[in-house]
Amino acid sequence: MEFDPSCFLFHLFAMASSHFDIRILSSDLNFVPVETRVPLKFGTEVLTSVSCARVSLRVRDRKGNESVGWGETPLSVQWVWPGSLPYQERLSAMQTFCEMLAHAVVEFDLSADPIELGWQFQETQLPQLLDTFNMNHRKGKESMPWLAALVCLSAFDIAIHDAFGNVHDRSIFKCYDEGFLQYDLSRYLEAAKDSCIDFSGKYPSDFLTNTPLKRLRAWHLVGGVDPLQKSDLHGEEPDDGYPVLLRDWIRTDGLKCLKIKLRGDDAAWDMDRLLQIGKIALDEEVEWLTADFNCNVRKPEYVNQILDELRDTHPKIYGMLLYVEQPFPYDLEQHPIDVHSVSSRKPLFLDESAHDWKLVRLGRELGWTGVALKTCKTQTGAILSACWAKAHGMTLMVQDLTNPMLAQIPHLQLAAHVGTIMGVETNGMQFYPEASTPEAKEHPKLYQRRHGVVDLGTLHGSGFGYCVDRIDRKLPAPTLVVT
């Protein structure tokens, strides 16, 4: 048999890469309750509190080195599982599913790098776990949706990535290359049929920025019940030193970017809301707006008519509209709506629909032009979706899930490294600023917006750069410890 040097080098590289694999040894799970200072409207529901799943995972590499990684995600029930079921029933179901995941990740018999671990778990374990959960815990009741399962998993997935960086004493974003990953992107991604893109020999590092930004433009969320004028006040607003009215927020934080939550089923209200906020934005020298219809629109004509009227009657406000976000139902496979007519007017971004790169591919076929990434749909999924989208010329944004505490850090790190259309959405300081006080003592400029930006300058070290050992966060005893 002839000696094949390329085959020899491949196996040599694979053997070298295997030294960087990790295996999960144990899992700790906490639920940290957070109350909002003002309500946040999600579609047809209003959020006034949230439970954050905080996870720590202990891992070991093949050399016997051990480390701990942290991940956190707000279980934003109204966003991931909208509907008529009582809030507490949906939240309890998600918390129970998190407990199942705490066992499952430890029992998962795989030693690998974080991309392979995250991908394999989502492909082979999560669907079975969700089916089992819905069969045993939701029998005769409304099933928990896939998006809710992804959000529960994301805290564990983020912790895997953090642990991998920690065990190798480097930023996780410096571990997404051929030196640390066993497989190139061709294992995970397939190009669109109308492209000649080849992912062979490509790694996530090829699609990340060489010099990540240390300061990011901050997008402020204007919720559907947020007061704009003094006449909107009802007298029960908090008197806690933080702004309430939109103009005060703009002036205090130096905001230049506003995200406007709309209804999607009341065109007159949506148009009026756009105009009210647009006029305030012009007065206060805000530069950019975006409109989020929250999945409630059923026909492209609804959005087109609003955009055309805005263009014809208020061209300055129309010009400030940077993109439109997720007007249509998030299940693209059940609602394959052709949206080319909308994206011909303004860039159109997938959000809830962008569960993974395959749905991003379907979205692109239907006419979507951008992707709003969220770490709450897993770090693994966000990285793979970002690579697919950038390879196919789609624009990226990183959107918030009102991330407090540790959840804010991977969120901002993702935005700094993938390259977005404009900054990052960050609104935890609007709705529960005091929730992150311990973390803000170590990273103060991550949890406040000044001169319209957030500053990532204090993030350093391994993993996501949390510096957890220097954060004086008093946690209750873990809800669950699995070894």
Side-chain angles (χ1 to χ4, degrees):
M1 181 174 176
E2 273 187 20
F3 172 73
D4 184 345
S6 63
C7 183
F8 172 78
L9 290 173
F10 173 83
H11 286 292
L12 185 64
F13 171 68
M15 289 173 61
S17 295
S18 68
H19 291 305
F20 295 115
D21 294 353
I22 57 170
R23 181 179 293 276
I24 300 167
L25 302 177
S26 65
S27 173
D28 288 11
L29 172 65
N30 279 97
F31 296 114
V32 184
V34 177
E35 300 289 327
T36 64
R37 61 182 289 269
V38 291
L40 169 57
K41 194 168 188 297
F42 272 113
T44 60
E45 296 190 72
V46 176
L47 182 149
T48 57
S49 64
V50 69
S51 178
C52 293
R54 180 177 286 213
V55 170
S56 65
L57 300 178
R58 178 166 290 279
V59 304
R60 179 187 295 145
D61 69 9
R62 290 180 183 262
K63 297 179 182 179
N65 300 313
E66 294 187 8
S67 191
V68 173
W70 293 82
E72 184 176 78
T73 301
L75 303 178
S76 290
V77 174
Q78 296 88 340
W79 184 71
V80 302
W81 193 349
S84 58
L85 290 178
Y87 166 81
Q88 190 58 50
E89 179 182 340
R90 287 173 286 164
L91 174 61
S92 295
M94 291 182 68
Q95 290 176 324
T96 300
F97 192 71
C98 286
E99 293 171 5
M100 286 180 61
L101 287 168
H103 288 278
V105 295
V106 175
E107 295 165 1
F108 189 39
D109 187 23
L110 181 65
S111 181
D113 62 67
I115 297 292
E116 178 70 5
L117 270 171
W119 179 77
Q120 285 275 15
F121 195 93
Q122 288 186 46
E123 290 289 314
T124 66
Q125 306 299 304
L126 191 61
Q128 295 178 20
L129 284 168
L130 182 58
D131 286 346
T132 299
F133 175 79
N134 283 328
M135 185 180 301
N136 295 339
H137 295 272
R138 304 296 302 166
K139 190 173 183 179
K141 303 176 182 178
E142 181 182 305
S143 295
M144 189 174 82
W146 178 255
L147 181 56
L150 272 182
V151 167
C152 292
L153 175 61
S154 67
F156 297 88
D157 184 85
I158 290 167
I160 290 170
H161 286 254
D162 186 50
F164 189 84
N166 289 337
V167 83
H168 298 302
D169 195 27
R170 59 196 291 131
S171 164
I172 184 56
F173 287 93
K174 293 183 178 179
C175 298
Y176 294 145
D177 58 23
E178 60 184 340
F180 286 86
L181 302 183
Q182 187 172 358
Y183 302 103
D184 64 28
L185 286 171
S186 65
R187 175 170 174 79
Y188 311 106
L189 307 179
E190 296 176 5
K193 293 179 181 178
D194 64 352
S195 76
C196 56
I197 294 165
D198 185 358
F199 286 108
S200 299
K202 297 290 186 181
Y203 291 83
S205 59
D206 294 309
F207 297 94
L208 302 176
T209 57
N210 292 325
T211 307
L213 297 173
K214 290 297 184 183
R215 300 171 82 241
L216 297 170
R217 275 284 182 91
W219 285 81
H220 174 95
L221 175 66
V222 188
V225 295
D226 288 9
L228 306 181
Q229 315 286 354
K230 287 185 178 180
S231 58
D232 296 330
L233 300 176
H234 49 68
E236 297 179 3
E237 290 78 17
D239 183 14
D240 54 8
Y242 295 100
V244 174
L245 296 175
L246 179 57
R247 288 181 190 271
D248 295 333
W249 273 116
I250 294 170
R251 294 170 184 176
T252 299
D253 290 2
L255 299 170
K256 297 297 182 183
C257 304
L258 303 178
K259 174 177 173 175
I260 305 168
K261 285 279 189 181
L262 301 174
R263 292 181 177 176
D265 57 6
D266 185 338
W269 189 94
D270 286 348
M271 188 65 189
D272 182 65
R273 191 72 170 173
L274 280 170
L275 292 180
Q276 284 191 65
I277 295 169
K279 290 173 182 177
I280 292 172
L282 287 170
D283 290 346
E284 300 296 334
E285 299 183 348
V286 168
E287 296 173 1
W288 296 109
L289 306 172
T290 182
D292 180 1
F293 289 86
N294 260 109
C295 307
N296 285 331
V297 180
R298 294 298 182 267
K299 295 182 179 180
E301 290 75 22
Y302 181 100
V303 182
N304 293 340
Q305 289 172 9
I306 289 175
L307 292 178
D308 290 349
E309 182 179 348
L310 190 65
R311 178 198 62 206
D312 295 342
T313 60
H314 296 84
K316 286 187 178 179
I317 297 175
Y318 180 83
M320 294 165 67
L321 197 64
L322 188 60
Y323 64 95
V324 172
E325 182 181 336
Q326 193 70 50
F328 308 106
Y330 75 72
D331 192 331
L332 288 186
E333 292 169 315
Q334 287 191 15
H335 303 276
I337 302 169
D338 188 306
V339 298
H340 285 89
S341 61
V342 181
S343 59
S344 68
R345 289 164 166 83
K346 285 289 181 179
L348 184 61
F349 277 59
L350 296 156
D351 181 3
E352 286 87 345
S353 295
H355 295 171
D356 59 39
W357 70 268
K358 294 177 184 176
L359 289 171
V360 174
R361 178 178 61 185
L362 175 57
R364 178 177 174 272
E365 292 171 2
L366 293 170
W368 300 78
T369 57
V371 183
L373 304 171
K374 277 187 167 82
T375 52
C376 70
K377 289 180 280 190
T378 74
Q379 175 77 359
T380 301
I383 292 294
L384 293 178
S385 292
C387 293
W388 196 95
K390 291 185 80 169
H392 291 82
M394 299 180 77
T395 313
L396 299 180
M397 186 59 193
V398 172
Q399 298 286 30
D400 206 356
L401 197 63
T402 315
N403 291 311
M405 303 180 290
L406 291 186
Q408 172 81 327
I409 293 176
H411 165 64
L412 296 184
Q413 288 274 43
L414 179 66
H417 284 83
V418 300
T420 67
I421 191 172
M422 175 64 65
V424 65
E425 181 192 352
T426 176
N427 56 61
M429 56 284 290
Q430 296 172 234
F431 296 98
Y432 25 64
E434 297 299 325
S436 305
T437 297
E439 290 77 15
K441 289 180 180 177
E442 180 66 24
H443 305 291
K445 294 181 180 180
L446 288 183
Y447 298 93
Q448 64 179 14
R449 304 171 303 195
R450 292 294 178 263
H451 308 293
V453 303
V454 284
D455 192 318
L456 286 69
T458 57
L459 294 179
H460 56 83
S462 62
F464 285 105
Y466 295 128
C467 299
V468 171
D469 57 333
R470 297 211 296 267
I471 295 173
D472 187 21
R473 164 69 63 181
K474 297 294 189 287
L475 292 171
T479 301
L480 188 64
V481 178
V482 181
T483 58

